[in-house]
Amino acid sequence: MNYNYIPYAMVLAISSLIAIFLTFYTWKRKKVPGATYISLALLGVAFWSFSAILVVLSSKISSSIFWSQLSYIGVVSIAPLWLLFAATYTQNDAWFTKSRWLLLWVVPAFVLVLVFTNQWHGLIWPHVVPVHTGSGTVFVYDHGIGAWINVIYSYLLMVVGMILLSQTVINSPGLYRYQAGLLLVGALVPMLLNAVYLADIYPDPGMDPTPFAFLVTGFVSAWSLLRFEFLNVMPVAHTALFKSIDGGVVVLDAQNRVVEVNPAAKQLLGLEGEVLGETAKSVMISFQDFKEPHDGLFMHYETLLKSSKPCWVDVNVKPLYHGNESLLGYLISLNNITQIKTAEERSKKALEENKLLMKEIHHRVKNNLTVISSLLSMQSRYIKDKDDREMFIESQNRAKSMAMIHEMIYSSMGEFKRIKFGLYMDKLSKTIFNAYTMDPNRINLETDFEDIWLDLDTAVPLGLILNELISNALKYAFPEGRKGTLKVTFKKEDDTNLLLSVEDDGVGVPEKNGVNENSLGLILIKSLVGQINGNITVDNKNGLKINIRFPEMDYNKL
């Protein structure tokens, strides 16, 4: 054993161990496209480095040749696996059909056959000469035509793979660029040292420095895997996916320079030719109000695109970070929302037209009810019978109460389904009070109204109820000049119920007579209370107090 070369063997052992560790690490991610190829390539590196240890330590020519032959299993396999990985990583693996994949391994298989039959033809190593140095005895291998065939073939595959990765370095955003750049360094260093060895200019004769260079490859690969999440974050189908996105996508670096733009964005922005490297402002010049990304801030806004036809674009700017650290750049998504904007404008126009239509309907209903009220008023002048005339006046007031609701809705600012009922009640109470009271000093009207929103379907029957209750109180509670107070209250009683209360301190209803259940007013009130799902309670002590409770509707659901 060549003990003098143990330091060299230790370096090779470290290189081999790193390669084995990376082999297992990448094999666990074999479902990631390209991971299997890079894992097997690293296994080839480990095999080559391990065999090189035994070649260096061998003191007999036969054992040196044996381990050199075994090392060729790694030597011939690394380049094809490297190319397959590079093609997969850069989405060019579709070229490798099954037949081409098999064809890729013809030369390595042929070279291996020559290696293990070298003693019969010498096409790999024509001569193996022992050389005595100050460090010990080494064996110098001359390279035959078979070895040079493998060198040329392997270098060709490695260079093609590097070219593919170089395109990723040039065209990809920061993270992919760093990954591909480290992979290039990891492949280039062993190639350079191998070239030095093949050119016979390495200072230590007979020593192949290529496995030592794998130490650099191991560290670089580990850095790419652990620091830049290689195989965790890969441009898998990146190009195909990026080009097929319907919306426009522009990728900027941290200096707001374009590093990637998809066809949809080019079409939307009217771009032609190559725009990579240009500033965001120059690319987005057709925007009416483009906000340049800054300070890693998220932005979302809509802007108008200057073109022959108005084009609205939804702009979403998202900063891109490496982990939680440095800012890599920005991802700008552009979506043409012209159709949505057009639909919104049409909807707004239709809504305005509907509002005008609703206002016109309420206006006409109010006018018709007013006409009916006026006709009833005119007709009542010719009626001699007092009871008949009062019936006409009551009908007139009912029409007025409904007309008043439609008038308030017509005058409101876009509220066609509900009204502020407190305001309506105040106006209605005073109108009825003035219609029935000849002497305001005799009867005092007290009101307490909360400003509560009511749906139209509730407001109309409740207005009629209020009309009936107030008019009845003014007609019957204060006979023969009796003075008193009429109190009308509308409020929220609890979380679910509203209360309408009409109370007077008049004569009340005589117990012997009771309430006339068949009167038109009471029949009408009961019917209207049923419409709003309410109930009536009557208190005939110290005058007459009528309470009507009904549930409050959830107007947020209307």
Side-chain angles (χ1 to χ4, degrees), residues 203-462:
D204 198 345
M207 184 67 66
D208 184 358
T210 308
F212 295 99
F214 289 145
L215 188 62
V216 176
T217 301
F219 282 118
V220 169
S221 299
W223 184 254
S224 179
L225 284 164
L226 303 176
R227 177 67 175 82
F228 292 105
E229 302 181 59
F230 171 58
L231 296 184
N232 290 332
V233 181
M234 286 182 62
V236 181
H238 171 76
T239 304
L241 178 63
F242 193 72
K243 289 182 177 180
S244 65
I245 295 174
D246 292 333
V249 179
V250 180
V251 182
L252 307 178
D253 62 14
Q255 287 73 43
N256 286 331
R257 294 172 301 198
V258 177
V259 295
E260 208 158 6
V261 57
N262 73 336
K266 279 190 171 184
Q267 183 178 4
L268 186 64
L269 299 171
L271 302 175
E272 295 181 359
E274 190 57 70
V275 295
L276 299 182
E278 294 188 18
T279 63
K281 190 171 287 187
S282 65
V283 170
M284 309 287 187
I285 193 172
S286 55
F287 279 4
Q288 191 176 69
D289 181 28
F290 174 67
K291 300 174 184 177
E292 196 169 31
H294 62 92
D295 301 330
L297 298 176
F298 287 87
M299 289 190 288
H300 182 222
Y301 58 93
E302 295 175 356
T303 186
L304 192 62
L305 192 63
K306 302 173 189 174
S307 57
S308 56
K309 293 182 179 180
C311 180
W312 280 95
V313 179
D314 179 84
V315 183
N316 204 326
V317 181
K318 179 182 179 181
L320 302 174
Y321 290 95
H322 175 60
N324 294 320
E325 299 176 8
S326 58
L327 177 70
L328 296 178
Y330 299 91
L331 177 69
I332 304 178
S333 59
L334 310 170
N335 291 300
N336 189 336
I337 57 170
T338 305
Q339 291 185 346
I340 296 175
K341 280 287 185 180
T342 303
E344 285 180 355
E345 291 300 320
R346 288 175 180 169
S347 296
K348 286 180 181 178
K349 187 176 180 181
L351 184 59
E352 290 299 322
E353 290 175 352
N354 286 338
K355 285 182 178 180
L356 290 173
L357 179 61
M358 290 297 295
K359 288 189 75 171
E360 181 64 21
I361 290 172
H362 285 291
H363 182 60
R364 294 197 177 196
V365 171
K366 186 267 296 184
N367 286 346
N368 291 337
L369 289 169
T370 303
V371 169
I372 293 171
S373 177
S374 299
L375 290 172
L376 291 170
S377 178
M378 291 173 61
Q379 190 67 35
S380 65
R381 297 174 188 173
Y382 301 99
I383 299 175
K384 303 300 181 181
D385 185 79
K386 182 181 178 182
D387 292 336
D388 291 342
R389 187 166 58 250
E390 285 185 356
M391 289 177 59
F392 269 76
I393 293 172
E394 288 172 358
S395 297
Q396 176 190 351
N397 288 334
R398 289 165 187 155
K400 276 185 179 179
S401 69
M402 291 188 288
M404 199 177 294
I405 288 177
H406 289 282
E407 181 182 11
M408 292 184 70
I409 290 177
Y410 171 76
S411 303
S412 67
M413 299 298 292
E415 283 287 351
F416 300 118
K417 295 180 68 177
R418 58 182 187 164
I419 66 169
K420 284 187 175 181
F421 201 68
L423 181 63
Y424 165 74
M425 291 185 74
D426 183 65
K427 187 175 180 180
L428 180 61
S429 299
K430 291 175 181 177
T431 300
I432 300 171
F433 183 79
N434 293 330
Y436 280 94
T437 306
M438 302 300 296
D439 183 4
N441 295 321
R442 186 170 62 88
I443 302 174
N444 181 36
L445 176 64
E446 294 181 3
T447 58
D448 181 14
F449 303 137
E450 290 184 11
D451 216 358
I452 300 172
W453 288 95
L454 285 186
D455 179 70
L456 187 60
D457 291 337
T458 305
V460 171
L462 198 61

Side-chain angles (χ1 to χ4, degrees), residues 7-9 11-12 15 49 56 193 202 207-216:
Y8 286 94
V11 175
L12 291 172
S15 175
S49 298
V56 168
L193 283 183
Y202 189 68
M207 184 67 66
D208 184 358
T210 308
F212 295 99
F214 289 145
L215 188 62
V216 176

